[in-house]
Amino acid sequence: MAGERHRRHCGGGDVDRRRDPAVGVKTLVRKPPADERRLDVLGRMPRLRRVVMSRSFQPVSMLLLLAPFALAIVAGLLGTSAGNRNFGIVFVWIVWWAVLMVLMVPGFGRIWCTICPIPAPGEWIQRRGIIGGGGKLRTLGLRWPRRLRNMWIQNVGFLILALFSMIILTRPTVSAGVILGLAGVAVSMSLLFENRVFCKYVCPIGGFIGLYSMAAPIELRVRDTQVCVDHRSKDCITGNERGYGCPWMVYPGKLDRNLDCGFCTECLKTCTMDNVVINLRRPGADLAKPGGGKQIDEAYKALIMLACSIIYPAVLFGPWATVRGWASVESLWGWAIYATAFLSATLLFVPGVFWLTVFAAQRRSATGVTIRQAYREYAHSLIPLGLAAWMAFSVGFALTNGSYALAAVSDPLGWGWNLFGTSETGWTPYLSGTAPAIQAAILVGGLLFSIRTTLRVGFRHDPSGTTATRAAVPVVAFLLASTLALLWLYLG
């Protein structure tokens, strides 16, 4: 009778909403109307708005960061070969990496791309000045091939770096060579192509920053898309006396994901309609949107990053000294075995298991979504867990090795200097007793975030909710298995 009264109250229907668990989950997932709320950050903070709107904001930030990165290169080439005493290794792969993965990406999305010094020299050559104020770019103006307008080059670049990471992380000359190589490619591409083609399609770091920025609680968007439609001059694309057309070749009026935006703030400056804003929003607002990327490259990026987040701690901290030796290229045949296993795991095994997972999910649902579309969209549910895995890895790595920074900053080249009186500071792991608990908490948070994203994708495929929760079970099992593997690595 109660169920009947409830059905009558709700206007009829076949589903007993009180007894159907899917309805409860659906309500939980969809409920907060606040999900769609946005807070205009610069509108609330006029002083910050003046800073961001200044033409010198981005170049000055880049110059400030260019100095330590230049020192890292010099230290790598001329300093001590002991990685834990060399500023190039300590600054880049302990300090910078931890700040990037623990604070910047999860909290501020693509803010690093705003201030990254690596593409700065090339951009300044294009603009014929450091600060500039709009105008024609100096470049050959070649167009980036359409077939390469995706994340595949970034995926390959990241895998190459990951494959040699044990050498890059420990050998200063190799680390300096990698930074110089990235900067050289960025400058070369700035001379050949317009705008930031390197950042958008090539940079292996920008690729995963863009992917994980979709989980961040901050975004750059237009206030009203109709204003963009009606505004004919499109200064955000063409540029004006206030700034340049979008270096990331994005039309802000259609921007709906952080992945496509480099957060350079040029459109904020050039928009004559004051229609571009920086919002605070619900974390992960981009993840459950339809599409999941136009191609499979984006799904592969999420899978590669998750696989590497498991392989890294296994190799670095696991009990397998032989594997660690192979990864460090102690023998060529050993490295060949490691490379084969690494590439098989990241490109075949994990993506293959996830395909079977999505296939099982589709068999348990009754939607008309193709397996390819489901694969792309469910891959977004891996993003929060993948980001959490990298945060957990970075926290442990920084707490264990962070004390090296005190010695390196006083003696950046390892030449016996003592600039700040800290060169003799010994290795001291911080919070060694509580670090595993911190890592576990981060991973569990990422798992819950990913499960929520999975349910949101499922309910979008089946708005009635009839099969959404059943379809989510295999994906949740995949997420749970990945989390348990990570917990085992960190907790032992």
Side-chain angles (χ1 to χ4, degrees), residues 174-382:
V174 178
S175 179
V178 168
I179 301 172
L180 271 176
L182 290 173
V185 173
V187 170
S188 302
M189 295 189 70
S190 295
L191 297 175
L192 296 174
F193 302 96
E194 290 186 343
N195 299 308
R196 287 201 178 193
V197 168
F198 168 78
C199 299
K200 185 163 185 173
Y201 298 116
V202 176
C203 179
I205 300 165
F208 71 77
I209 291 177
L211 183 83
Y212 288 145
S213 71
M214 293 196 290
I218 193 167
E219 65 180 15
L220 185 148
R221 298 287 188 273
V222 298
R223 201 189 313 270
D224 183 347
T225 54
Q226 189 58 44
V227 171
C228 297
V229 173
D230 296 337
H231 189 219
R232 296 186 172 232
S233 63
K234 301 288 188 290
D235 298 61
C236 56
I237 299 176
T238 61
N240 56 28
E241 70 282 358
R242 298 186 193 177
Y244 295 90
C246 178
W248 291 71
M249 298 155 283
V250 173
Y251 171 44
K254 293 186 175 180
L255 179 65
D256 63 353
R257 301 192 309 161
N258 284 357
L259 177 65
D260 303 315
C261 172
F263 219 73
C264 65
T265 70
E266 286 293 342
C267 57
L268 261 170
K269 300 177 176 72
T270 56
C271 180
T272 57
M273 308 302 290
D274 191 25
N275 194 40
V276 182
V277 292
I278 295 177
N279 293 321
L280 277 180
R281 63 176 192 180
R282 172 182 57 80
D286 295 349
L287 298 180
K289 290 182 177 178
K294 295 178 181 178
Q295 303 180 44
I296 210 74
D297 57 322
E298 197 173 306
Y300 250 80
K301 169 59 76 180
L303 287 157
I304 288 171
M305 293 305 297
L306 180 63
C308 287
S309 73
I310 299 173
I311 295 172
Y312 259 48
V315 172
L316 282 173
F317 311 130
W320 305 287
T322 302
V323 177
R324 198 154 40 248
W326 291 347
S328 302
V329 201
E330 290 180 354
S331 67
L332 190 57
W333 66 268
W335 181 82
I337 294 174
Y338 171 74
T340 303
F342 178 86
L343 294 176
S344 299
T346 53
L347 294 176
L348 297 176
F349 179 73
V350 175
V353 171
F354 190 68
W355 188 91
L356 292 174
T357 301
V358 175
F359 179 77
Q362 289 303 94
R363 290 290 296 255
R364 295 169 65 88
S365 68
T367 65
V369 178
T370 64
I371 184 72
R372 185 180 177 85
Q373 181 184 346
Y375 192 84
R376 292 198 312 260
E377 297 190 351
Y378 275 120
H380 276 185
S381 65
L382 308 178

Side-chain angles (χ1 to χ4, degrees), residues 6 10 15-31 459 463-466 468-469:
H6 184 79
C10 294
V15 178
D16 185 338
R17 298 173 65 86
R18 197 180 59 172
R19 293 182 179 180
D20 186 352
V23 175
V25 175
K26 182 178 177 181
T27 303
L28 175 67
V29 172
R30 286 184 157 186
K31 178 175 181 189
F459 278 114
S464 71
T466 307
T469 48

Side-chain angles (χ1 to χ4, degrees), residues 75-113:
L77 296 176
L78 304 177
T80 175
S81 60
N84 59 356
R85 300 289 298 182
N86 190 292
F87 181 84
I89 294 291
V90 175
F91 169 74
V92 176
W93 302 118
I94 297 177
V95 178
W96 169 77
W97 179 264
V99 172
L100 177 73
M101 296 310 296
V102 179
L103 299 177
M104 283 189 167
V105 175
F108 304 96
R110 278 202 123 154
I111 191 70
W112 171 252
C113 297

